[in-house]
Amino acid sequence: MQRIWLLIVLVIFYCGIYSNGLNGVPPRPNSVNIGAILSFNSTIGKVAKVAIDAAKDDINSNPSVLNGTKLNISFRDTELSTGFLGIIDSLLLMENNTVAIIGPQYSVMAHVISHIANELQVPLLSFAATDPTMTSLQFPYFVRTSQSDQFQMAAVADIVNYYQWRDVIAIYIDDDHGRNGIVALEDALAEKRCKISYKAPLRPNNINREEINNALVKVIIRESRVIVLHIYPSFGLDVLKMADSLGMLGNGYVWLATDWLSTVLDTDPSRSSSSELQGVITLRMYTPDSGMKRNFSSRWGNLVNKKAPNQSPFMWNTYGLYAYDTVWVLAYALDSFFNSGGTLSFSNDSSLNKLIGDRLDLNSVGVFANGSLLLEEVMKVNKTGLTGQIMFSPDGELMNPAYEIINVIGTGVSRIGFWSNSSGLHTGQAPGHSNSSSKGLYGVIWPGQTTTTPRGWVFTSDGRHLRIGVPLRISYHEFVSRIEGSEMFGGYCIEVFRAAVDLLPYPVPYKFVPFGDGKTNPLNSELLHKITTGEFDAVVGDITITTNRTKIVDFTQPFIESGLVVVAPIRKSNSNAWAFLRPFTPLMWFVTGMSFFVVGAVVWILERRVNDDFRGPARRQFVTILWFSFSTLFFAHRERTVSTLGRLVLIIWLFVVLILNSSYIASLTSILTVEQLSSPVKGIESLVTGKELIGYLRGSFAENYLTEELNIMKSRLVPLNSPSDYEKALKDGPANGGVAAIIDERAYMELFLSTRCEFGIVGQEFTKMGWGFAFPRDSPLAIDMSTAILKLSENGDLQRIHDKWLSRSACSSEGSKQGVDRLELKSFWGLFLLCGIACFIALLCYVLRMAYRFSRHSDSNLAGSSHSARLRSFISFVNEKEDEGKKSNKPKRSRKVVHEDGSTMDGSDIDSGGHYENDSSHC
């Protein structure tokens, strides 16, 4: 009997273990309660409801997903409310032990409900709340299962930058969704050096046609024609219809609608033929084509008839696909949750007891004890759904965000490219295959049925003229001057500006506004500052483009080059008797003279034994050395060279002489020409190292350049106002309270020197700058004006205007003749080194050869002699003529010689060289 009871106990224990799951895993519940907060009558909500219902049925009909656990989804309709009703609905869902909520649909509601989700530890999975500020840091239980607007706005910014637009206008809903999306757009545009020039917010609820009209009228008067429309689908089409009636969907306009428009067109494709949509560009979250997606699409008609029988037929959109996948993400997470031992346990929240009321049973609202575990499993999901790969990044966003770029054309839409977070804009089959595609987009049909890319901006239609600031100069009126007795301006800069404006493909209304008191030259820095404050729309004049100025304004292409130069007094000086010595420096003359003597001596040594021209008394040979070496300067040497080494040295030396002679003649010619003009100032280098006073134009950038870049003391700089001040200061000189030189821009100085030949430009231009017209930062007009200036340069009009206003005389170029340098040794040391090496090698070879011959000649005769005797004998041997050294080895020939007087002499008296022996009369 005891055995029977023991068996019964064991069976019960075994059944208990099995019923509680293997390995201690708690049993799965029969069902799980899920909540869904939607707006059933909205474009996104009605599609999402059908998709969520279909996903629930597909999961419950597949026992392998949750192993028998069923999903119960309770829907709450917030209608079109985005605020308080959502809070009530979320709390009502929590009364039923809801483990997760799908939704809400609106970002505004998501902000509020996320606080409740954090408190109750219930994951909130939203497929439509795209507000980029909804982050996991503030809302850890908020999970976005679609793309964030942060990526969508990055795509819009790339489109704007691709077409080289710089300003856009933003029309948006003035709530969390609209404002935060536009902030993300502003940040993305700033990275591309673009900006939002005007914002037109719209009221989020109950907006009427009059309010839309008022907002669009304010947009019309703006310069930008690139409009980004970030709005709800419920009344986005109303805005476009009103814009069409105001003529804002014609030529020149660009409309970039965020993905709300593609959602509307996907849900109701018949709307794409509407006139107010033609040429609009919109975005759609990219979902790759797959068998699952095609199967879902084929089922859609039946699903709508079954799930929404009382509504007109409608198609699915991408938000519906993401809603469908959201349910599956939750199912995968619940399956892992139960496998990990998670249980559906709730505990009371004491903080809710204070809110107990009549309608809400807050006693039934509890904290999901294992909510954090379920959230962790949700973030680990890595599956493939209708929208592609479903995987979350560490910051809670879906991985690999991508968008399709769509152009509304005719009765349909055309995909003109893709955008992905990794590859930017590109064309191809899909973002994942961007490596085989090209950057950019396909052609677009723009509003007005044109394929020409709009410029993106126009001048305002309020009749306002551009205010062009012009410096009121008191000098150099050839550049800028006001016509006396009128408000009109003339001069080189003004005419260039007018010619460039005439080349623009659109009219530019403008008026010139003088800047300055007419008594002193205005400061260009103050004039440019007026652009930053909005007082001037542009500045035209002799404005130099500098680095600091480009930080506050944009300049056009330079229309004239004008670097800094030094102008100083020059004088005509007569050539003196020693001008011929100027080509070479003293050191150069010394080295050249010594080279002549050394080469002559080397040739004399090499030729003495074999050449009679280099033999004889010492005085005669010294004169021969000097004569031979210096006569090579004119290639007039009479002495012939016989030895090979002597000829080698002479050839190299003649080459050196040729170079020296040519250089001397060229330098002397230049010096005798330039010698007529001279100046104590040689250029900027002599001014920097000196202590003389330097003049400059008051108000120009030269002062900062000289003090900051060249480190010239400010006490040495003298500000001057006019060309007459220049002239007086230069004539007075430093000794009489004047200046040693003037530093100013070449354009001014060439005009100054055209009538003042006693001054000239000395040295080289030491900066490379130019003048340009100034506009506000990122002004599109600056780009078009630069193009116009280039056209003026190419067709020759720019040079014609220059010759008209800035004609110069010969005086202005005389100063350029200054600064001819004397030839220094450093320019020729290579030649002298080559000649010296040749002489050394030749002497070395000669000495070695003589030593060898002497050793053979004296082996028997000097045996046992002292070193001094051998040295004297060697010197005597070297001093002998070549033939005398050989006569002892050659026999004498015996022959008779008949003289003119008939007498004869025995041939034995004649040596082998033909010389008489023992006859002093023939020596």
Side-chain angles (χ1 to χ4, degrees):
M1 191 67 178
Q2 292 179 350
R3 292 181 179 179
I4 295 176
W5 281 108
L6 180 61
L7 180 60
I8 293 173
V9 170
L10 290 175
V11 170
I12 294 175
F13 181 75
Y14 175 80
C15 292
I17 293 178
Y18 184 80
S19 62
N20 288 330
L22 299 176
N23 300 324
V25 176
R28 291 179 178 239
N30 294 327
S31 63
V32 177
N33 295 329
I34 306 296
I37 302 176
L38 305 173
S39 176
F40 294 169
N41 293 326
S42 66
T43 303
I44 294 176
K46 63 182 181 182
V47 174
K49 184 177 184 302
V50 175
I52 292 173
D53 242 347
K56 180 199 69 173
D57 293 343
D58 293 344
I59 293 170
N60 289 337
S61 62
N62 188 348
S64 64
V65 179
L66 287 174
N67 294 321
T69 300
K70 300 296 182 180
L71 288 182
N72 294 329
I73 298 182
S74 300
F75 289 94
R76 302 296 301 183
D77 184 10
T78 62
E79 298 177 352
L80 294 178
S81 173
T82 59
F84 179 72
L85 291 182
I87 301 175
I88 300 300
D89 289 332
S90 62
L91 291 175
L92 290 175
L93 289 173
M94 296 302 178
E95 293 179 355
N96 301 319
N97 293 336
T98 299
V99 299
I101 294 177
I102 298 176
Q105 182 177 324
Y106 298 102
S107 297
V108 176
M109 190 182 299
H111 273 277
V112 178
I113 298 179
S114 292
H115 290 286
I116 300 176
N118 290 347
E119 185 71 24
L120 300 181
Q121 299 182 17
V122 174
L124 191 66
L125 285 71
S126 178
F127 59 89
T130 56
D131 180 359
T133 64
M134 297 286 297
T135 63
S136 57
L137 294 177
Q138 182 181 8
F139 305 111
Y141 282 85
F142 174 81
V143 180
R144 191 187 343 262
T145 57
S146 64
Q147 306 296 348
S148 168
D149 278 342
Q150 175 185 355
F151 304 111
Q152 180 173 209
M153 295 308 176
V156 173
D158 278 351
I159 295 173
V160 172
N161 182 63
Y162 174 73
Y163 290 109
Q164 298 182 354
W165 299 316
R166 287 294 172 260
D167 291 351
V168 303
I169 293 175
I171 302 176
Y172 60 98
I173 292 297
D174 193 17
D175 62 6
D176 290 342
H177 169 70
R179 285 192 303 270
N180 295 332
I182 294 304
V183 169
L185 174 61
E186 205 163 20
D187 293 340
L189 288 173
E191 295 178 0
K192 311 292 183 181
R193 288 199 65 186
C194 305
K195 65 179 181 179
I196 298 177
S197 58
Y198 180 72
K199 297 179 181 179
L202 299 175
R203 193 169 55 176
N205 295 316
N206 302 321
I207 188 170
N208 53 45
R209 292 176 57 87
E210 182 179 357
E211 291 174 318
I212 295 175
N213 181 77
N214 293 338
L216 293 178
V217 167
K218 294 178 182 178
V219 171
I220 291 177
I221 64 175
R222 303 292 169 176
E223 292 183 355
S224 177
R225 287 294 181 263
V226 181
I227 302 171
V228 177
L229 187 58
H230 186 51
I231 206 167
Y232 289 131
S234 54
F235 55 90
L237 294 180
D238 295 335
V239 175
L240 289 175
K241 287 180 181 179
M242 182 62 67
D244 189 27
S245 66
L246 294 175
M248 298 177 66
L249 282 160
N251 286 335
Y253 279 91
V254 176
W255 285 83
L256 301 176
T258 51
D259 60 4
W260 69 266
L261 180 56
S262 63
T263 302
V264 171
L265 297 180
D266 289 342
T267 308
D268 186 3
S270 62
R271 291 181 178 269
S272 60
S273 60
S274 302
S275 61
E276 65 270 12
L277 301 182
Q278 300 305 304
V280 177
I281 293 179
T282 184
L283 285 79
R284 176 197 290 150
M285 288 183 288
Y286 172 71
T287 56
D289 190 22
S290 63
M292 295 174 59
K293 184 177 175 181
R294 289 191 294 271
N295 179 49
F296 181 78
S297 179
S298 63
R299 297 167 49 201
W300 182 257
N302 294 331
L303 291 174
V304 172
N305 293 332
K306 179 180 178 181
K307 305 295 183 181
N310 299 325
Q311 295 191 29
S312 301
F314 52 87
M315 294 298 296
W316 54 268
N317 53 49
T318 52
Y319 283 101
L321 300 181
Y322 277 104
Y324 181 90
D325 281 351
T326 300
V327 182
W328 277 91
V329 167
L330 192 53
Y332 292 134
L334 284 170
D335 183 57
S336 299
F337 171 79
F338 292 136
N339 289 336
S340 301
T343 60
L344 304 182
S345 58
F346 295 84
S347 60
N348 291 331
D349 189 351
S350 59
S351 61
L352 293 177
N353 294 332
K354 302 177 183 179
L355 303 176
I356 296 176
D358 296 333
R359 182 183 175 189
L360 287 175
D361 186 7
L362 296 180
N363 287 326
S364 301
V365 177
V367 177
F368 184 17
N370 290 318
S372 59
L373 178 60
L374 178 58
L375 175 65
E376 183 179 345
E377 297 300 334
V378 168
M379 301 306 296
K380 290 180 181 179
V381 171
N382 185 359
K383 298 290 184 178
T384 300
L386 297 181
T387 58
Q389 188 72 17
I390 305 173
M391 183 169 59
F392 296 94
S393 64
D395 57 357
E397 301 289 350
L398 282 179
M399 299 286 284
N400 304 318
Y403 287 85
E404 299 176 71
I405 314 299
I406 296 172
N407 184 204
V408 183
I409 303 174
T411 60
V413 297
S414 173
R415 184 170 60 196
I416 59 175
F418 297 94
W419 179 92
S420 63
N421 194 35
S422 58
S423 303
L425 295 176
H426 59 271
T427 59
Q429 296 299 320
H433 301 84
S434 59
N435 292 334
S436 61
S437 60
S438 60
K439 297 292 183 181
L441 299 173
Y442 289 122
V444 178
I445 304 297
W446 302 99
Q449 300 298 307
T450 178
T451 57
T452 302
T453 302
R455 189 172 68 250
W457 69 280
V458 295
F459 286 102
T460 57
S461 57
D462 58 357
R464 187 178 71 88
H465 287 59
L466 292 180
R467 293 173 55 85
I468 308 296
V470 179
L472 199 59
R473 301 191 59 88
I474 62 170
S475 59
Y476 300 118
H477 293 159
E478 292 84 353
F479 295 109
V480 177
S481 63
R482 182 161 63 177
I483 300 175
E484 192 171 351
S486 69
E487 295 297 323
M488 300 180 63
F489 284 82
Y492 170 72
C493 299
I494 300 298
E495 187 164 343
V496 171
F497 177 78
R498 286 172 174 160
V501 169
D502 291 341
L503 292 179
L504 296 178
Y506 47 85
V508 180
Y510 64 89
K511 64 178 180 180
F512 292 123
V513 180
F515 177 78
D517 56 10
K519 298 178 181 180
T520 58
N521 288 321
L523 296 177
N524 288 336
S525 57
E526 294 181 2
L527 179 58
L528 295 176
H529 182 69
K530 297 293 184 181
I531 295 179
T532 62
T533 60
E535 185 173 342
F536 290 145
D537 299 306
V539 167
V540 171
D542 46 346
I543 309 298
T544 304
I545 303 172
T546 65
T547 302
N548 289 333
R549 291 174 180 176
T550 57
K551 295 177 180 179
I552 60 174
V553 296
D554 278 352
F555 284 94
T556 62
Q557 175 81 14
F559 56 85
I560 186 174
E561 294 184 358
S562 183
L564 292 177
V565 295
V566 177
V567 172
I570 59 175
R571 65 180 183 271
K572 293 186 178 181
S573 58
N574 296 325
S575 297
N576 57 48
W578 304 101
F580 68 90
L581 295 175
R582 288 285 306 280
F584 289 164
T585 61
L587 180 60
M588 181 67 181
W589 278 117
F590 175 77
V591 173
T592 302
M594 291 300 298
S595 298
F596 276 104
F597 182 77
V598 170
V599 171
V602 170
V603 173
W604 177 79
I605 293 173
L606 297 176
E607 293 289 324
R608 177 170 174 76
R609 282 179 56 85
V610 296
N611 194 336
D612 290 335
D613 292 336
F614 292 88
R615 297 188 65 82
R619 180 178 179 182
R620 175 188 171 190
Q621 294 308 305
F622 181 75
V623 173
T624 300
I625 290 174
L626 294 179
W627 164 256
F628 175 81
S629 59
F630 284 98
S631 64
T632 57
L633 180 63
F634 310 100
F635 304 97
H637 51 285
R638 295 181 306 166
E639 292 78 9
R640 61 189 179 89
T641 53
V642 177
S643 67
T644 302
L645 293 175
R647 289 175 176 176
L648 175 64
V649 172
L650 184 60
I651 288 174
I652 296 176
W653 172 245
L654 289 178
F655 174 73
V656 175
V657 169
L658 176 64
I659 300 300
L660 293 176
N661 194 14
S662 302
S663 302
Y664 176 84
I665 294 173
S667 180
L668 182 62
T669 302
S670 300
I671 288 175
L672 291 178
T673 302
V674 178
E675 188 68 22
Q676 299 174 3
L677 301 176
S678 63
S679 173
V681 178
K682 302 304 179 183
I684 187 63
E685 293 82 4
S686 64
L687 288 177
V688 172
T689 57
K691 297 182 179 180
E692 298 86 356
L693 296 178
I694 304 171
Y696 69 95
L697 182 63
R698 187 188 301 271
S700 72
F701 75 96
E703 179 183 7
N704 290 335
Y705 183 85
L706 295 175
T707 56
E708 296 177 4
E709 299 296 332
L710 300 183
N711 297 319
I712 297 177
M713 295 180 62
K714 197 169 184 178
S715 59
R716 293 179 55 197
L717 302 181
V718 179
L720 302 171
N721 293 318
S722 64
S724 60
D725 292 344
Y726 282 7
E727 184 176 6
K728 183 179 183 303
L730 288 172
K731 286 182 177 180
D732 292 342
N736 299 317
V739 297
I742 298 291
I743 293 181
D744 207 343
E745 298 184 64
R746 177 177 286 275
Y748 296 139
M749 291 297 93
E750 289 179 346
L751 201 59
F752 172 77
L753 297 173
S754 62
T755 56
R756 298 171 177 85
C757 296
E758 67 270 27
F759 310 115
I761 297 175
V762 295
Q764 302 296 322
E765 185 176 332
F766 56 93
T767 62
K768 293 292 183 182
M769 297 180 177
W771 293 353
F773 304 130
F775 291 88
R777 294 279 290 176
D778 302 323
S779 171
L781 186 57
I783 300 174
D784 291 349
M785 286 292 288
S786 294
T787 304
I789 290 173
L790 291 176
K791 290 180 181 178
L792 289 176
S793 178
E794 292 170 357
N795 61 25
D797 287 344
L798 194 60
Q799 186 62 42
R800 178 186 58 78
I801 299 173
H802 182 278
D803 295 340
K804 172 184 175 181
W805 289 96
L806 308 177
S807 58
R808 299 170 295 170
S809 68
C811 293
S812 62
S813 60
E814 287 183 354
S816 63
K817 298 177 182 178
Q818 298 289 326
V820 176
D821 295 329
R822 304 174 73 182
L823 299 176
E824 298 181 0
L825 179 63
K826 63 182 180 181
S827 301
F828 300 94
W829 70 268
L831 287 174
F832 289 119
L833 178 63
L834 177 64
C835 184
I837 292 174
C839 292
F840 175 78
I841 293 176
L843 285 176
L844 181 63
C845 293
Y846 178 78
V847 171
L848 293 177
R849 187 179 68 177
M850 290 298 100
Y852 174 72
R853 288 185 177 181
F854 176 73
S855 64
R856 293 185 58 188
H857 174 75
S858 61
D859 283 344
S860 58
N861 297 332
L862 299 176
S865 301
S866 64
H867 290 291
S868 59
R870 293 178 66 86
L871 179 61
R872 288 193 300 270
S873 178
F874 176 74
I875 295 175
S876 177
F877 174 79
V878 171
N879 195 40
E880 291 179 357
K881 195 174 185 300
E882 183 82 12
D883 294 336
E884 293 179 355
K886 297 179 180 179
K887 67 181 181 180
S888 61
N889 298 327
K890 295 183 180 180
K892 293 183 179 181
R893 291 176 295 175
S894 179
R895 62 178 179 175
K896 292 182 178 180
V897 178
V898 181
H899 295 280
E900 293 181 355
D901 59 359
S903 62
T904 62
M905 184 171 58
D906 190 273
S908 60
D909 296 329
I910 305 174
D911 63 10
S912 60
H915 297 88
Y916 294 103
E917 295 182 357
N918 304 320
D919 190 348
S920 60
S921 63
H922 294 86
C923 292

